[in-house]
Amino acid sequence: MVRNPRSRLVASSRRQTAGQPTPVKLPRVIDFSAAGTIAKNSLRISLRYPANFLIWGVLPLFWFLPFIFTGIAFTGGTTSASYQSQTGYANFIPYLVLGWVVFTYVDSSVWGVGNTLRWYQFSGVLEPMFMIPAPRLSILLGAAVAEMVTTSISTAILFGLSLVIFGLSFAASAVLPVLILLFLMIIGFTGFAFALSGLILVFKDPSVLTELVDTIIYILTPINYSINVLPLWAQPLSLILPSTFALVGIREAALAAAGLPQLWIDIVMLVILDVLFWALGMLLFQVAEHHTRRKGTLGEY
Amino acid sequence: MPKRKAKEGPPGGGGLRYQVSIAWRLSIKQWREELAYPLTLLYFVVSPVLTLLPLLLYGYALTGSGTSASLGGLTYTSDWFAYSALGFSLASLINSCLWGTGMALRREQWAGTLESLYVTPVSRFTMLFGSAIHNVQHGGLGVILQLTVSALVFGLRVNLAGILPALLAVALMVIGLQGFVLFFAAVVLLARRAWMAVELLVGSIRLLTPMSYPIVVLPVMLQTVAQGVPTYQALEAFRQFLLLGPFTPAAWSSLGLLLVLDALVVVLGWIVFRASDGFVRYRAGIGKF
Amino acid sequence: MSTGIDIRKLVKTFTSTKRRFGIIPSGHVETRALKGIDFAVGKGETVGLLGPNGAGKTTTIKILSTLILPDAGEVRVNGFDVVRQPTQVRASIGVITGGERSVYYKLSGRENLILFGRLYRLPRAEAKERADELLDMMGLSKKADEQCEDYSTGMRMKIVFARSLVHDPPTLMFDEPTLGLDPAFAREIRQFIRTKLHNKCILLTTHYMNEADFLCDRILLLHEGQIVASGTPTELKRSIREHDILALHIKGRIARRPLEKLPGVSRVAVTPDVSGTSTLRLHVLDGAAVIRQLLDAVETQGAKVLRFEFEEPTLDDVFIQKTGRRIAEHGSESS
C-alpha cells in the first residue's frame, strides 16, 4: 500500500506504458513542494559560501555611511530641527539605519528573486529547471524563501554592526511588530519580483531594468527622508509600495515604542498590497511566460 | 614560473598601432553590446536625475533650505546642493571606470570568450584599455549629462573660467583610476567571487572620495587615508575650480599631489596585474569562473 | 504499439528584428522553422530526427518539452497535450538538452540527482535510492559526493543522463546527446541508450549519421522544417539503391553545375576541405558508364582527381538525393 500520495505518480510512471495518463493531479499555479525543495537547494549552495553573509552584512554600510556623514556635515551634529519637522524624528542616524536595514530586503527581492531566472541561465541550469513538472512560479517562490533567509542573516549582521558603531539601542518590545511588518513587506515584494521576472523574460535586459526599478523604489520609499519631502505627484506612488508602510510602522515601533494595536493601519495596508502585488505579479509572469514560449525565447537572454 | 616574454602583435609587425586599433575595436564592441538593449539608452538619459534626487530630497529634509551654515563653516561654500551636485557628477565616471573596466576580464570569462581573447596577439593591457576607452566615454557622457541636468533643472551655477582646469583634474583622475582598474582586474583574475571584493573596494573608494561632505567629518584615520586617494584629490580640485575659479591655490596643490599619486597607483597596479596574470596562467585558471 | 509522441501538422514560425548598424530596428524577418510536420513515436521505439543545423530538430524537441509553444498543429506526449497540459507532459518525460554545463556545479553528483528526483516528485527516500542506483549504473559511485565542478566533461554528461532518468519516465528526448564528446565516451553513451533504454519511447536528434544508423529503429530526415524522408535506416538506403554512389577526392575547387548536366548524374554534393582539396559525392545511374566523362569534366575545370571509389549508400546520400545537400557540410563525425 502506498502511503505517500506523491509516490503514486512514481509507482504509476514506473509501470507506465506510454500513452496512459498519470493519475495524480498536478498543481496548476504554484507547487509548494517544489518551491520548498528549490529553497532548500538554494540555501545549501549559499551556506557553502559563509563569507558571503559577512560581506553582505558589511557592504550596505558603505552605501549608507555617506548619508550619515552628509547629515553630520549639513547639520553640524546628528540632529536637525528641519528633519524633525519633516520626518517626526530629530536624530537622522537611527532613522537612516532602520531605513537601510529594510532596504536590504527590498534590494534582495529585486536583484535576487527578480533575477532568479537570469542567474539560472547564467549557471546553465535554466532549461533543466524549466522542465520540472511544476509551474514556473514555484521556482521563483522557492528562490524568494531562500533569499529571505540569507538576507535575514546578513541583515542581522548589518543591524548588529550599526548598533555598535553608532551606539544605538531599541526597545525589545519592538521586535515582534518589526518582524511582522518585515514579513508582510517581504511577501508583497515577492509578488513584485514575480512581475519583474516576467518583464526580464520579455525584455531580456536583466541589469538595466532591475537597476531602474530598484532606483525608483529607493527614491519613493522613505529610507533617507519622509514621503512628504517628495513632490506632491510622487507621494501617491510611494503609498502603493509595501516598503513605505513597513518602514513607517517599523520606525513607530522601534523609535516611538508603538505596539501592534497602534500599527493596525500599516498592517492592513500591507495585507491589501500583498494581495494586489501577488495577483498582479502572478498574472504578469504568466502572460510574460506565455509570450516568450510563443516567441521561442524562453531560455534566452 | 618560467620567465618568457611573449612576442606580441601579428607576424611581421603591428606593435603599438595594432594594439591601439584593437583597443578601439574592443571599445566599439562594448558599445554595441550595451546598446543592443534599448533600455540602456533610457536608463542612461534618466540616471542623472535619479542619482541626484535622493540627495536633493535628503539635503532638503536636513536643512529645510538650499544652504547649510554648518557646511559653510567646514568648507568654502554653504550651497550644499552645488557642493554635492558637483561631487555626484563625477560619480558616474568613477563607477564606470572602476566597475566597467575592472570587471572587463570577468565579463569575458562569464561569456566564455576570455580564453579565445587570451590566445590572440592582443596584449592584456590592450583588452583593459579597450574597455577603458568605452567606459571613459560612457562615464564622460554621464558627467556632461549630469552637470547639464543640474544646471538646467536644479539651477546649478559654476564659475565658467574654472572649466578648463576642472577638465584637467578629470583627465588626471581618469589616469589614476586606471591604476585602480589594473589592481581590480588582478583581484578579478585571482578571486572566484571577485565582484564582492570589487564592490568592497569601490565602496571604500567612494567613502574616501566624499561627494557630498568634506573629509573633516570622517574619523581622523580615514581622513589621512583619503588624502592618498587620487579620486579625492581630483574631486576637490574639480569642485574648487568650478565653485571658486581657476586661481585657487588649494586646487592647484591638489592637482600636483594628484600627479604624484597617479604615477604611484598606475605603476603599482601594473605590477600587481602582471604578476596575477602570470600566476593565473601558471595555475591554468583562465577559463574557470 | 501505444504512442508516446504524436505530432500532427506542427507549424512554428520565428520572427526576429532586423537592425541597422546593429542597434536600430528596421523591420522583421520571419523564419518558418517547422512547416507542418507529422510523425509519431511508440513505446519501445527509438526514432531519430536527422538533419543539418537549422533544419528544425531542436525546435521540435523544445515544443515537445513545452519550452516553446507551437503556432499550429496538435502535439501530444504520453497522451497529454503540450499546450493545455504542460505540467503533465513534463512529469512524464526526461530530456537532455544543454550539454554538460546544465548541472549545478556547486552540488555533488548525488545532490544534483536527489534534487531533481525531489523536483520530479519522488519521495525523499526514493530519490536517494534512485540516485544511488543511477550513480552505480553510470560508474560514478566513488565520485558521487564530489562537487560537479571537479568532474570531467564526460562525468558531468553522465550526471545529465542520469538526471533525465531519475523519475523513470516512459518517454525520453535527447537533443544532440553526443555533440562535442570524445569518440570513446560518445560510443559509451550510444551503447547505454541501446542496451539500457530499449523499452522507452525515445526521440533523438543528431547530425551524426552513424549514430542514427546505430541507435534508431526509424529515421526522419528533416530539411528546412519539413520531413523529406522517413523509414528504417535500411529502407532509406534501399530507396536510392538504383543509384551508384561515387566519391571523388580532388585537388582544387570546382563548380557543381557542369557535373550535374552530365547524362546519368542525378545529384552532386561538393565539400571543400581545408587543405585545398574537395570531396565530391555523386549519385549516378550507372557509374561505370559515366566515370570517364566525370573525370574529364573535373579536369576541364582545372582540378586534379586524386582518387575515386564506389561506396555503399549512407543516410547522407539519402539526404543528398532528397535535398541536394549534405547533412553535415562542415561538421566532423565521431566513429
Side-chain angles (χ1 to χ4, degrees):
Chain A
M1 183 173 146
V2 174
R3 284 186 201 161
N4 188 329
R6 284 179 300 185
S7 68
R8 281 205 294 273
L9 173 61
V10 176
S12 71
S13 72
R14 283 284 184 102
R15 60 171 182 267
Q16 187 174 72
T17 52
Q20 286 183 11
T22 312
V24 173
K25 232 175 142 62
L26 297 170
R28 290 170 66 87
V29 182
I30 289 185
D31 181 342
F32 290 101
S33 164
T37 302
I38 289 166
K40 280 183 222 163
N41 183 59
S42 298
L43 282 170
R44 180 182 297 124
I45 294 174
S46 295
L47 288 170
R48 290 189 178 161
Y49 299 97
N52 282 9
F53 295 105
L54 189 61
I55 288 169
W56 278 112
V58 169
L59 211 50
L61 273 176
F62 288 92
W63 301 339
F64 78 81
L65 273 175
F67 283 88
I68 291 184
F69 291 128
T70 301
I72 294 171
F74 287 13
T75 64
T78 58
T79 60
S80 151
S82 170
Y83 208 72
Q84 163 94 50
S85 73
Q86 299 284 1
T87 66
Y89 303 96
N91 189 336
F92 52 82
I93 292 182
Y95 190 91
L96 288 174
V97 165
L98 290 171
W100 280 87
V101 161
V102 167
F103 185 65
T104 58
Y105 282 101
V106 176
D107 206 50
S108 82
S109 283
V110 171
W111 280 101
V113 184
N115 279 265
T116 294
L117 302 181
R118 176 71 168 125
W119 303 134
Y120 279 175
Q121 194 257 353
F122 215 66
S123 315
V125 297
L126 182 64
E127 282 191 345
M129 290 302 280
F130 271 178
M131 281 189 277
I132 63 171
R136 281 142 190 166
L137 274 175
S138 321
I139 300 172
L140 296 178
L141 181 61
V145 170
E147 199 66 44
M148 182 179 73
V149 172
T150 54
T151 302
S152 297
I153 297 172
S154 302
T155 304
I157 295 172
L158 173 67
F159 189 61
L161 281 173
S162 302
L163 293 181
V164 168
I165 293 171
F166 303 111
L168 303 173
S169 62
F170 299 101
S173 59
V175 171
L176 182 63
V178 165
L179 288 177
I180 290 171
L181 290 164
L182 262 180
F183 184 69
L184 289 173
M185 182 193 79
I186 290 166
I187 290 176
F189 272 108
T190 301
F192 181 84
F194 292 163
L196 183 62
S197 268
L199 286 176
I200 290 173
L201 269 183
V202 173
F203 291 106
K204 309 296 181 199
D205 189 348
S207 57
V208 174
L209 181 63
T210 311
E211 188 73 53
L212 200 55
V213 166
D214 196 48
T215 306
I216 290 171
I217 295 175
Y218 170 70
I219 292 170
L220 291 173
T221 303
I223 296 162
N224 307 305
Y225 41 78
S226 58
I227 62 172
N228 51 319
V229 179
L230 290 169
L232 278 173
W233 58 266
Q235 290 178 25
L237 296 173
S238 178
L239 292 174
I240 61 168
L241 291 175
S243 43
T244 299
F245 290 99
L247 255 178
V248 167
I250 284 171
R251 285 182 178 125
E252 283 178 20
L255 302 176
L260 279 172
Q262 288 93 7
L263 301 170
W264 71 269
I265 294 177
D266 302 308
I267 291 172
V268 165
M269 286 308 300
L270 277 169
V271 170
I272 293 171
L273 287 173
D274 287 353
V275 170
L276 273 172
F277 271 62
W278 267 67
L280 284 171
M282 284 162 64
L283 179 66
L284 205 90
F285 181 79
Q286 286 178 329
V287 167
E289 191 205 347
H290 187 89
H291 172 79
T292 48
R293 282 173 71 208
R294 175 74 56 201
K295 278 197 79 177
T297 57
L298 191 61
E300 297 169 19
Y301 284 87
Chain B
M1 264 184 283
K3 283 186 181 173
R4 276 198 301 263
K5 263 199 152 174
K7 186 179 173 193
E8 287 164 345
L16 181 66
R17 213 166 138 188
Y18 168 78
Q19 301 293 340
V20 168
S21 83
I22 293 298
W24 182 252
R25 285 187 199 184
L26 287 173
S27 78
I28 292 176
K29 175 203 70 129
Q30 213 168 322
W31 273 115
R32 280 184 187 266
E33 283 170 350
E34 200 173 307
L35 294 173
Y37 295 107
L39 279 177
T40 306
L41 269 174
L42 171 68
Y43 184 70
F44 187 71
V45 167
V46 302
S47 66
V49 175
L50 294 180
T51 314
L52 279 176
L53 267 178
L55 161 76
L56 194 67
L57 296 167
Y58 178 57
Y60 187 75
L62 285 169
T63 62
S65 71
T67 58
S68 158
S70 170
L71 186 70
L74 294 170
T75 66
Y76 39 82
T77 181
S78 61
D79 183 347
W80 60 260
F81 177 71
Y83 185 87
S84 309
L86 288 172
F88 271 91
S89 69
L90 291 190
S92 68
L93 182 56
I94 294 172
N95 278 343
S96 207
C97 287
L98 292 180
W99 267 110
T101 314
M103 293 290 278
L105 296 182
R106 181 47 65 98
R107 275 197 302 276
E108 299 292 349
Q109 258 186 341
W110 285 331
T113 50
L114 185 65
E115 281 184 328
S116 312
L117 280 173
Y118 259 47
V119 298
T120 65
V122 177
S123 86
R124 320 290 178 251
F125 185 70
T126 302
M127 291 177 206
L128 290 175
F129 186 48
S131 183
I133 294 174
H134 164 265
N135 291 311
V136 168
Q137 289 168 342
H138 189 276
L141 282 172
V143 172
I144 295 168
L145 205 52
Q146 186 105 33
L147 286 173
T148 308
V149 166
S150 300
L152 294 177
V153 178
F154 300 111
L156 172 71
R157 294 286 172 264
V158 299
N159 188 318
L160 296 176
I163 286 179
L164 277 177
L167 284 175
L168 177 61
V170 172
L172 289 174
M173 182 184 80
V174 167
I175 293 169
L177 282 171
Q178 304 320 306
F180 282 121
V181 157
L182 288 168
F183 182 70
F184 288 176
V187 169
V188 158
L189 282 177
L190 292 169
R192 284 282 178 90
R193 308 284 272 189
W195 69 270
M196 282 190 215
V198 172
E199 181 82 68
L200 279 171
L201 289 167
V202 171
S204 305
I205 290 172
R206 280 214 299 261
L207 198 64
L208 300 171
T209 308
M211 287 161 195
S212 54
Y213 50 87
I215 62 166
V216 292
V217 300
L218 293 175
V220 173
M221 194 171 67
L222 290 184
Q223 289 180 41
T224 313
V225 176
Q227 299 279 3
V229 177
T231 44
Y232 164 68
Q233 298 295 346
L235 176 56
E236 272 306 301
F238 176 78
R239 208 159 23 202
Q240 287 179 47
F241 282 132
L242 287 176
L243 289 178
L244 304 176
F247 307 109
T248 311
W252 288 104
S253 297
S254 292
L255 274 191
L257 191 49
L258 181 57
L259 269 170
V260 174
L261 290 171
D262 277 357
L264 269 171
V265 167
V266 169
V267 167
L268 270 171
W270 177 246
I271 292 170
V272 170
F273 178 71
R274 283 293 295 247
S276 69
D277 178 56
F279 179 75
V280 168
R281 282 190 293 152
Y282 181 67
R283 292 286 294 267
I286 294 294
K288 293 183 184 172
F289 58 92
Chain C
M1 183 190 295
S2 55
T3 310
I5 293 173
D6 190 7
I7 294 181
R8 297 190 196 175
K9 296 189 183 355
L10 178 59
V11 175
K12 184 66 197 173
T13 303
F14 293 110
T15 309
S16 57
T17 307
K18 280 197 294 192
R19 288 178 192 274
R20 227 172 256 153
F21 312 115
I23 50 177
I24 303 167
S26 61
H28 295 284
V29 175
E30 277 195 351
T31 307
R32 294 193 73 201
L34 295 171
K35 296 173 184 168
I37 61 172
D38 297 82
F39 69 89
V41 185
K43 190 216 168 192
E45 209 188 358
T46 301
V47 170
L49 265 182
L50 196 64
N53 294 332
K57 309 188 296 293
T58 300
T59 302
T60 305
I61 294 273
K62 287 193 172 184
I63 289 173
L64 287 165
S65 57
T66 78
L67 291 177
I68 296 177
L69 285 171
D71 290 334
E74 200 181 314
V75 182
R76 290 189 164 270
V77 179
N78 298 319
F80 301 112
D81 187 300
V82 298
V83 175
R84 282 180 276 277
Q85 298 164 296
T87 312
Q88 285 86 340
V89 167
R90 296 201 295 271
S92 64
I93 60 174
V95 185
I96 289 181
T97 178
E100 48 90 22
R101 278 279 292 126
S102 64
V103 294
Y104 278 97
Y105 270 41
K106 285 297 178 185
L107 297 182
S108 67
R110 193 192 307 283
E111 284 170 336
N112 264 282
L113 294 180
I114 292 174
L115 166 68
F116 279 91
R118 298 286 287 133
L119 291 173
Y120 279 97
R121 310 179 76 80
L122 297 187
R124 183 177 302 279
E126 182 143 4
K128 284 183 180 168
E129 195 188 307
R130 187 76 177 130
D132 287 338
E133 193 185 319
L134 287 165
L135 287 163
D136 192 48
M137 207 188 294
M138 296 288 168
L140 288 174
S141 299
K142 287 190 181 148
K143 295 268 192 179
D145 296 308
E146 290 178 27
Q147 288 187 1
C148 281
E149 73 178 336
D150 297 325
Y151 284 10
S152 66
T153 301
M155 288 163 71
R156 283 197 281 268
M157 200 59 208
K158 284 183 178 179
I159 295 293
V160 171
F161 257 92
R163 185 182 64 204
S164 72
L165 301 171
V166 75
H167 53 305
D168 200 15
T171 297
L172 296 166
M173 298 175 205
F174 300 145
D175 190 12
E176 310 264 11
T178 60
L179 185 68
L181 299 180
D182 70 75
F185 186 65
R187 259 198 302 275
E188 209 181 315
I189 291 287
R190 288 180 197 131
Q191 200 60 33
F192 180 84
I193 293 172
R194 186 163 163 155
T195 55
K196 305 281 187 195
L197 305 177
H198 56 269
N199 61 339
K200 303 284 185 188
C201 162
I202 299 176
L203 177 67
L204 79 95
T205 72
T206 182
H207 61 264
Y208 297 142
M209 292 170 290
N210 43 346
E211 181 168 278
D213 237 329
F214 181 71
L215 289 174
C216 300
D217 301 310
R218 242 183 337 125
I219 290 171
L220 309 170
L221 296 182
L222 198 59
H223 177 58
E224 292 180 354
Q226 288 178 305
I227 294 174
V228 296
S230 72
T232 68
T234 309
E235 282 168 4
L236 287 171
K237 287 176 221 172
R238 275 203 194 128
S239 70
I240 59 163
R241 89 181 141 183
E242 71 272 13
H243 291 87
D244 288 332
I245 310 297
L246 190 56
L248 266 69
H249 301 276
I250 67 171
K251 191 172 173 63
R253 301 277 188 259
I254 64 165
R256 237 173 33 182
R257 291 209 177 255
L259 301 180
E260 282 174 346
K261 287 179 181 162
L262 293 172
V265 174
S266 67
R267 289 286 193 190
V268 179
V270 181
T271 308
D273 301 326
V274 295
S275 52
T277 59
S278 302
T279 302
L280 278 66
R281 206 161 176 89
L282 299 100
H283 294 190
V284 299
L285 286 171
D286 183 348
V290 81
I291 185 66
R292 195 174 292 281
Q293 286 171 284
L294 272 170
L295 295 176
D296 288 340
V298 167
E299 285 179 3
T300 302
Q301 290 194 53
K304 186 182 168 191
V305 178
L306 299 173
R307 68 178 190 277
F308 67 90
E309 56 221 340
F310 287 90
E311 292 187 355
E312 289 297 314
T314 65
L315 291 169
D316 201 17
D317 293 309
V318 180
F319 199 81
I320 292 169
Q321 185 62 28
K322 300 288 181 189
T323 65
R325 57 172 287 194
R326 301 189 69 176
I327 290 174
E329 299 274 26
H330 304 291
S332 60
E333 298 178 44
S334 57
S335 56

